[in-house]
Amino acid sequence: MTKKNILGYKNTAIYLFLVLSSLNFGSVYAQQLDLIKYVQPFSGTSASTTMASQHIEDKTERLANTIPAVAPPFSMTQWTPQTQLTETKCLAPYYFNNKKIYGFRASHWISGSCTQDYGSFTIMPISGKLKTNSNDYAADYNHENEASTPSYYRINLNSYKLQVELTSTLRCGVMRITAMKTDSLYLLVSPNSDENKGYIQIDKAKGEISGYNPVHRIYQGWGEAAGFSGYFFIRIKKVLKTGGVYSEGNVSQNQNINNQKNIGAYAGFKLQKGEQIIIYSGTSFTSIDAAKRNLESEINNDSFETVLAKTNAAWEKSLSQIKVSDLNEKKKKIFYTALYHAQQHPRLFNDVDGKYPQFAGNYQTKTISKGNYYDDFSMWDIYRAQLPLIELLKPDLANSFANSLVLKGQQGSWLPIFPCWNSYTAAMIGDHATAFLASAYNKGIRDYDVKEAYRLMRQNAFQMPDSADYLNGKGRRGINSYLKYGYIPIEDSIPNAFHKKEQVSRTLEYAYDDYALATIAKDLGKKEDYNLLSKRSLNYQNIFDAKIGMVRGRFENGNWYSPFYPDHREPYITEGTPRQYTFYVPHDMPGLIKLMGGSKKLENELDSLFNNKEYWHGNEPGHQIPFLYNYTASPWKTQIQVSRILDEEYDEGAGGLSGNDDAGQMSAWYVFAALGFYPVDPVSGNYQLTSPTFKQTTISFNDGKKLTIKAIKSSNTSIYISKITLNGKAFDKTYITHNNLIKGGEIVFYLTEKPKIKYH
């Protein structure tokens, strides 16, 4: 196959098949890319085009903010084309509709978030004359010349007559550049910093470039140093003709530069047409030397093809834990893309030797002795479905996540609420590290210091940090008011948080966290704690106004906040409305039903929400709502709403996600819902059932057991459950337990075109 022919292929799957077939792996290996071919990394890289998202005025919430990340699951560093220069909050490194590429970034962007990148660096290859101003060297590109998979990215930069390819390992990356004409080639390497900080050096004799980008906090401690940096070490497999450093377009023959605006290093070569150059990059959060050791350990001198093959294999293994059999190719693409997005975070943080930056530290390092250390827990989002998905599929990894949270609590003295940038943030509401630890514990995931975990969770639930720690983001926001009144009153505006006020939502979520901790207290025999926490788990009742049948802001004297707008974004609600948040009592649906006036009233309220298009799938507060019909006499309405959401709110293409993917939560929702069950209350270990999307799905667990889920339809349009069998026996519940699932076996859903009115 000629290089010209390879460069002309537009279809990624065909391209990869032909590339791998033409290399040393042969067609046998190429044909093993069964599931990677379904993943669409560009999904979510432009504004949402789904139905419900068009009603949302806040355009930042219509951006899924995913990137075409090249890296194995849960990596330290993702590699992505860069169409944005900054590390600014809510701007992802890549957007599908941007017209220029500024390089290829070693990124620590939290997938699908509205946060910011940190500790990143960028490599930009150019041909012809040396240019170091971004406006001068940025390259036009088009998507016809672009291919992307979870393990590979390729683009033709026609203006420079260069082809660029990327692949990676957990901590390192490989870039291959092919010259399509004889010319000079320059590599521009930039440690990206919006703070005009950073350092870079070049060793022309060795063909090495290294440096770092200091990490800065956002939310609590905004702009302060986070106490670690993103380090990199680059080795180029070709003798340099020239090299130096630059800042704001001013070029110097010096070997290093630091703490100036838009700094970088350049390396120059002469390439013949068809000649290739390989750039190896190691990354670390502890030192340049560690980045070099990571590179030597993970890649050393492996070829581009060898690294690609290993990362392909890693993704195939991970994706194949869930094998879907169905003729609907579009839905398979959406499903495996969702599974890809659900495996980006939390982020691996330790080096190959176990070293990692101390949590909330000041350039101290720690060494983990067992498993790995992880960070970037978008906890308010991912405790709902993304982390439960990991608990189901990869309990050992979930155990490392739990252990990492305990280590953070020990090193920083308080269990973090929303640990990102290896720091305290108090970015969102709730105390959902507790919810996740309880969820994991109740599923038997306990290979960490349970005693310390309980101590830290209890401290968050019962104590107020001193003023300095509280200002630094430690502890529950508004805990004193919550303990005093049994809810957070309107008078407590929660001034020391990124999300201020939002008292009703905080009350509801703390009640859930109290319930979560109570389940562990009960198992550990801590009766006094269990009784007190169980009582506090009912605090949701204190902000439920029985006259209107919804949650509502309340003052210290017990009076209700007025006026009341059920479908407006009120200051006491987090990213939603009172109507939407009323349904957030996942741990005590019988209690909520009683407050509402019975299950029929719950059903009517759910009907009203959906009929009036007040359900907004693009944000997390309502993700459990479609499954709540299972608590009524009409569980078939869960089946119709979930099927509708799967069809309307997820699609192919760059606009196929309906809102911020939030570290994979939006995608994990799709995975669960398509399988036919969802963890409305992850702590309980129960999953609410709905009709599965695919004809047959097989889940493979780590212990070798397999669970097969079959959907037998009376017609192609059948979505309503008429009966279920579990291992050949009739199953008449609307939920299934975690233990039922992990035992393996077979679940068969019989689906019809008309709903079965009573299904209990």
Side-chain angles (χ1 to χ4, degrees), residues 278-335:
I278 305 294
I279 300 101
Y280 293 107
S281 302
T283 68
S284 171
F285 291 123
T286 63
S287 70
I288 291 173
D289 286 342
K292 182 178 181 180
R293 288 193 297 272
N294 289 341
L295 179 60
E296 291 170 345
S297 175
E298 291 188 354
I299 297 179
N300 198 11
N301 290 311
D302 285 349
S303 68
F304 186 94
E305 293 83 5
T306 299
V307 176
L308 174 59
K310 290 178 179 178
T311 307
N312 275 333
W315 271 111
E316 280 294 325
K317 180 180 179 181
S318 193
L319 294 171
S320 66
Q321 275 200 269
I322 306 178
K323 287 192 174 181
V324 168
S325 298
D326 199 274
L327 295 178
N328 192 320
E329 294 292 288
K330 176 181 176 179
K331 286 188 176 181
K332 286 161 76 172
K333 290 177 183 178
I334 297 171
F335 180 85

Side-chain angles (χ1 to χ4, degrees), residues 376-610:
D376 287 347
F377 289 80
S378 188
M379 195 59 80
W380 183 75
D381 311 288
I382 63 176
Y383 85 94
R384 303 165 194 264
Q386 191 263 348
L387 287 175
L389 184 63
I390 307 309
E391 292 168 0
L392 182 66
L393 298 178
K394 306 174 189 296
D396 292 344
L397 181 61
N399 193 87
S400 288
F401 294 168
N403 187 47
S404 297
L405 290 169
V406 175
L407 291 172
K408 295 175 197 299
Q410 290 176 315
Q411 292 165 22
S413 300
W414 288 82
L415 187 67
I417 299 297
F418 193 98
C420 291
W421 312 280
N422 208 37
S423 303
Y424 290 97
T425 66
M428 292 295 293
I429 69 168
D431 183 13
H432 299 316
T434 293
F436 165 61
L437 287 170
S439 176
Y441 180 90
N442 291 336
K443 295 180 176 79
I445 300 171
R446 304 178 182 182
D447 190 17
Y448 47 89
D449 193 333
V450 171
K451 182 178 179 181
E452 270 294 275
Y454 186 82
R455 180 186 69 82
L456 290 163
M457 288 186 284
R458 190 188 189 283
Q459 178 178 257
N460 274 22
F462 286 91
Q463 296 181 36
M464 175 76 174
D466 64 33
S467 57
D469 280 344
Y470 188 73
L471 289 172
N472 195 36
K474 300 178 182 181
R476 293 188 183 185
R477 307 292 94 178
I479 183 64
N480 281 347
S481 292
Y482 179 77
L483 293 177
K484 180 177 181 180
Y485 296 100
Y487 62 96
I488 302 178
I490 294 297
E491 286 89 344
D492 188 348
S493 63
I494 319 290
N496 302 122
F498 179 74
H499 278 241
K500 305 182 190 311
K501 301 182 180 180
E502 303 181 0
Q503 300 92 335
V504 167
S505 295
R506 281 189 159 89
T507 299
L508 290 165
E509 301 211 17
Y510 287 162
Y512 182 74
D513 296 323
D514 288 341
Y515 148 79
L517 185 53
T519 66
I520 303 181
K522 181 179 182 180
D523 192 72
L524 296 178
K526 300 181 181 296
K527 293 183 179 180
E528 185 176 348
D529 283 358
Y530 168 72
N531 290 333
L532 184 53
L533 289 163
S534 295
K535 182 179 179 181
R536 282 170 42 179
S537 74
L538 303 179
N539 281 346
Y540 71 89
Q541 298 175 356
N542 298 331
I543 40 87
F544 185 92
D545 185 351
K547 290 184 179 179
I548 59 172
M550 295 184 194
V551 295
R552 184 176 182 181
R554 198 169 194 178
F555 292 96
E556 291 175 357
N557 63 8
N559 291 339
W560 298 107
Y561 180 94
S562 291
F564 179 70
Y565 299 112
D567 299 317
H568 289 189
R569 287 201 168 189
E570 293 297 293
Y572 53 80
I573 296 292
T574 301
E575 298 183 4
T577 67
R579 186 187 303 276
Q580 292 164 350
Y581 244 102
T582 294
F583 299 103
Y584 184 82
V585 189
H587 59 295
D588 188 21
M589 284 305 299
L592 178 63
I593 289 168
K594 185 176 180 180
L595 283 180
M596 283 187 162
S599 64
K600 185 59 180 177
K601 181 64 174 176
L602 170 64
E603 182 179 344
N604 292 342
E605 289 297 324
L606 290 168
D607 288 345
S608 175
L609 181 83
F610 287 109

Side-chain angles (χ1 to χ4, degrees), residues 687-698:
Y687 303 83
Q688 295 301 317
L689 294 172
T690 189
S691 45
T693 295
F694 299 106
K695 182 177 179 180
Q696 180 170 310
T697 305
T698 301

Side-chain angles (χ1 to χ4, degrees), residues 220-254:
Q220 302 306 109
W222 196 296
E224 295 177 6
F228 70 103
S229 296
Y231 298 91
F232 60 91
F233 173 84
I234 297 171
R235 186 175 72 234
I236 306 166
K237 292 195 71 175
K238 189 172 179 61
V239 176
L240 277 68
K241 296 291 185 182
T242 185
V245 295
Y246 58 87
S247 172
E248 289 199 274
N250 298 314
V251 177
S252 166
Q253 295 296 310
N254 292 339

